[in-house]
Structure formats: C-alpha cells, structure tokens
Amino acid sequence: VGDNLPLIFINWKSRHMGTHRNTGDAWLREIRPGNPLWMNSADARARNIKEGDRVLVKSVSGQIEAQVYLTEGIKPGVVGADFSFGHTAYGSRPVEIDGQVIAPVAPYGHTPFNFAQPWHEEAGLAQGRGTGFNVNLLARLDDTLKNTPLTDPIGGGASSLDTRVEVVKLG
C-alpha cells in the first residue's frame, strides 16, 4: 500500500482466547485481563519507551492507546497484540433497550487490592469485558471502499498484515 509508517502491525489469537466471543467468559479473563502491545526493545529504545508505558498506536486509518510489553519475542520493525480484547459489545458497555439502560458486566472480586499487576497472569480476578484495545481500529482501510479493511484476494478475509503504524509514548 505504501503508507509511510515505520512499523508493521500484526495480531494473533492467544492460546486461551481463540475467538473474540470468549471475552464473555470470566474464567478466561482471569488468565490475562487485556492485550498489551508487544514491542521489541530496540524499537522501544528508539522511541524512549519503557516496559509498561502507555502509548498511542497510529495507522493512516485509526489510532488506539495501549500499554507496552517489551519482548525479544517479536522482530524489530514489528509490533502486535492479541486481537481478542477491546470490545464495545458483549456486555462491555451500557446499552439501552426499550428505554431501559442495562449496565455493563462489572469486574468481579471481593477484595480492594489490585491483584491484576501488569505481566502477572496469576491474579485470579477477572476484569471487565471491555479491557484492552481493539486491534481492528488500526486496520488499513481500503482506499476505494473507504469503510472496510483491505482484503486478501486469495482467502477473502481481512488482510491483517497490511497495516503500518507508528508508536508514540504518551504523557
């Protein structure tokens, strides 16, 4: 496509959230409550970004906020995240039905302590259904169709690897 942004954005299915609908399962949200942005330390150093920093991820089609997870498990020049988070449905936000507002499904737990420390998956308490960020908001939109992502002409699905981004430290 030729977008002049330095990083390739990829996404994947995690082992425990094989589909976006699994966010409705509190037990699965106990394993990992959100989706950090994976970034190689070389790319982070070039942008003065440290582990856990809040960042703005920008494509030509959209932008999102995320928290950074530094890892050598992703190639320099590439950033990515699990696609199963950042919902605006599935009980993650209030919805009005026949004039009655239905509250979102609340995080659960019985303690005032924060057991969901970043990068510790043994927390045991599920967060809300809308945690993390929606990777689809970054998808490179088709210049002709305007409101739909690029598609893979062979498989017919969204072309998930054709989005280029830049990552900027917030605050």
Side-chain angles (χ1 to χ4, degrees):
V1 173
D3 296 333
N4 192 20
L5 295 170
L7 301 168
I8 297 169
F9 183 83
I10 64 171
N11 65 80
W12 56 83
K13 294 179 182 181
S14 68
R15 291 180 293 208
H16 74 292
M17 291 273 211
T19 176
H20 61 281
R21 292 181 299 274
N22 290 128
T23 196
D25 188 326
W27 290 356
L28 294 176
R29 291 193 323 274
E30 288 176 354
I31 296 171
R32 183 176 295 135
N35 58 341
L37 178 74
W38 288 34
M39 183 177 226
N40 186 279
S41 61
D43 292 323
R45 269 192 310 278
R47 293 163 177 79
N48 196 30
I49 294 171
K50 295 184 178 27
E51 176 86 20
D53 281 352
R54 298 288 305 167
V55 295
L56 188 65
V57 185
K58 301 189 289 187
S59 74
V60 297
S61 300
Q63 62 185 28
I64 53 90
E65 286 188 29
Q67 186 174 22
V68 170
Y69 169 61
L70 294 182
T71 178
E72 303 312 305
I74 197 161
K75 183 178 177 178
V78 177
V79 294
D82 176 0
F83 81 100
S84 302
F85 293 90
H87 291 279
T88 58
Y90 296 109
S92 65
R93 308 276 188 274
V95 64
E96 185 174 334
I97 301 173
D98 295 333
Q100 180 182 359
V101 176
I102 309 300
V105 175
Y108 74 86
H110 55 276
T111 175
F113 301 107
N114 179 9
F115 286 115
Q117 295 297 319
W119 327 134
H120 292 274
E121 297 180 353
E122 66 277 1
L125 300 176
Q127 301 299 305
R129 292 182 180 185
T131 60
F133 67 92
N134 185 335
V135 301
N136 289 335
L137 297 177
L138 295 172
R140 177 61 164 92
L141 296 180
D142 188 294
D143 289 333
T144 303
L145 298 175
K146 306 292 185 204
N147 64 350
T148 190
L150 293 174
T151 57
D152 176 355
I154 296 171
S159 187
S160 301
L161 305 177
D162 288 332
T163 297
R164 299 197 63 90
V165 299
E166 178 58 286
V167 178
V168 179
K169 184 176 177 177
L170 290 173

